[in-house]
Amino acid sequence: MSDDERSSIETQESQSPEFITLDEAAAMTNGTRVTFIPGMQAMYSEALKNICFVKNVPLIRVLHPPMGVDEATGKDRQAKLYELTSQTSLPTMLHDKERPRNVWIEQLALAERIGAASSPALIPDNFELRAEVFGLCAIVLAEDGLIWNMRILIDSPLGQKYGFSKEASSAAPGKIAEAITLIDRRLEAQEKRGLRYLVGDALTAADIYWATLSMSILPVPPEIMPRTRKNKGMLSYFEANSQIPVIAEALTKRIEDHQRFILTTHCETPAVLGGDSL
Ligand SMILES: N[C@@H](CCC(=O)N[C@@H](CS)C(=O)NCC(=O)O)C(=O)O
């Protein structure tokens, strides 16, 4: 096969990645299987994909079962997912015959363990640095963090699931801005020491999670996040978030430079989503 033929196949594969069903994934006893919605950068799935990309963990993509009832069978479409994991959010991560991992902190630990020996360590050995990494990750990913507050900006089924109330929703932009400013100050301090990363002198999980999840309040161009039929609405929502005055004010050039640097240097760009492109 010529180099041109090979690269054309690789391009096709990266544009239309294969997805298997959850039943197929559950029956497998080898490999790392992660659930996704084709064409959609569900933020935690996208972040885990980037973590696994850095760790050089090959992923088998699995269709995350949608909410609701299957019209043909009348059954809850997420019944199997619930049976396997006792929850329904995405992504769930299966590896070999191990128990499923459903929460980012466990998924990160697993990726760190099974990653290629030559890949960067995303969780520092040094405990002081580790405390900084997990502190920053929690501000982005844990309850009442960046994403949590981003979800309750509007009253929607997802907002309701994450505790939407008028009071919580009106406090959310201020909390998001506080998280952005905390990251900005840290980047500023790092910059003064000649460092480009959030913690210490090397890439950590905090950079990957922040850069990926901050796309929800600081949108990126199609060269980084392709537009698909499925993600159009989500991208407009992210755009609107970035224009909420207190958030817009907190977003500095430094934040943008770091986000773009991490995504284009360490993550797979353009992101490979599957689904139908626009
Ligand atoms: N349990 C996950 C939550 C991840 C999460 O919030 N996923 C979102 C999509 S990015 C989700 O599934 N939302 C729909 C739902 O919770 O039903 C974690 O903390 O890591």
Side-chain angles (χ1 to χ4, degrees), residues 41-46 64 67 78 87-91 102-105 107 141-142 147 151 158 161-162 213 234:
Q41 72 285 24
M43 296 314 290
Y44 285 70
S45 293
E46 200 58 23
H64 191 86
M67 285 193 270
Q78 293 185 320
Q87 59 87 60
T88 54
S89 73
L90 78 152
N102 307 303
V103 178
W104 63 272
I105 197 164
Q107 293 166 346
L141 296 130
I147 298 297
R151 284 188 183 132
L158 202 55
K161 184 168 175 180
Y162 291 91
L213 295 166
M234 197 177 188

Side-chain angles (χ1 to χ4, degrees), residues 133-150:
V133 167
F134 279 110
L136 292 173
C137 287
I139 284 164
V140 179
L141 296 130
E143 294 194 21
D144 200 30
L146 173 86
I147 298 297
W148 185 278
N149 279 289
M150 186 272 291

